[in-house]
Amino acid sequence: MYKLMVVDDSNIIRNRIKRGYNSMQFELVATATNGVEALEFFKTHRPQVVTMDLTMPEMDGLECIKSIMELDPNVHILVVSALSDKATGIRALELGAQGFICKPFTDEQLVEALNELVQD
């Protein structure tokens, strides 16, 4: 069972992910609305898997990914973003994220992306 944290400033997307992930494989331990909150929750809950929005207030996803990777280089980060801007997605992967799905997404796409993330 992997501990999961969902990071997104959109309530709709957070709820979407909460409903869509495979509860047999993941346990939701925290949801954050921005990068600052995400870092605090990460230190407390130490999730192994994080879904990360890129465009958020206070601290954006790129900065948050960088900070989380410094705390735990083994964490699995899935970027969930509406950005059609490929350069930002590529930057997120360079910083340590291992997957990327675009909003809007289906539950199947979410489950598949999360499963791919944790397969060794």
Side-chain angles (χ1 to χ4, degrees):
M1 184 73 90
Y2 294 94
K3 291 196 279 186
L4 172 70
M5 176 171 71
V6 175
V7 185
D8 202 298
D9 61 338
S10 159
N11 194 28
I12 294 163
I13 297 294
R14 284 197 311 274
N15 287 333
R16 195 62 222 283
I17 294 171
K18 281 191 236 176
R19 278 200 321 269
Y21 72 91
N22 175 355
S23 59
M24 300 297 287
Q25 197 171 9
F26 299 97
E27 175 199 1
L28 185 66
V29 293
T31 56
T33 58
N34 61 57
V36 175
E37 251 184 30
L39 273 181
E40 284 173 28
F41 290 151
F42 187 85
K43 289 172 188 165
T44 309
H45 298 286
R46 290 293 174 173
Q48 294 114 320
V49 179
V50 178
T51 66
M52 180 69 67
D53 186 17
L54 292 180
T55 330
M56 298 179 291
E58 291 188 64
M59 179 194 285
D60 71 14
L62 291 179
E63 200 179 327
C64 191
I65 289 168
K66 192 167 173 286
S67 302
I68 284 176
M69 293 308 292
E70 284 167 6
L71 291 170
D72 181 358
N74 298 315
V75 69
H76 301 286
I77 299 176
L78 175 67
V79 173
V80 181
S81 181
L83 289 181
S84 51
D85 172 14
K86 290 278 185 278
T88 309
I90 290 166
R91 183 77 188 113
L93 296 170
E94 285 170 359
L95 289 170
Q98 291 115 330
F100 187 96
I101 59 172
C102 282
K103 299 173 190 173
F105 52 86
T106 64
D107 289 351
E108 289 76 24
Q109 286 171 317
L110 176 67
V111 167
E112 195 178 309
L114 285 170
N115 287 341
E116 275 176 25
L117 214 58
V118 296
Q119 279 173 357
D120 292 323

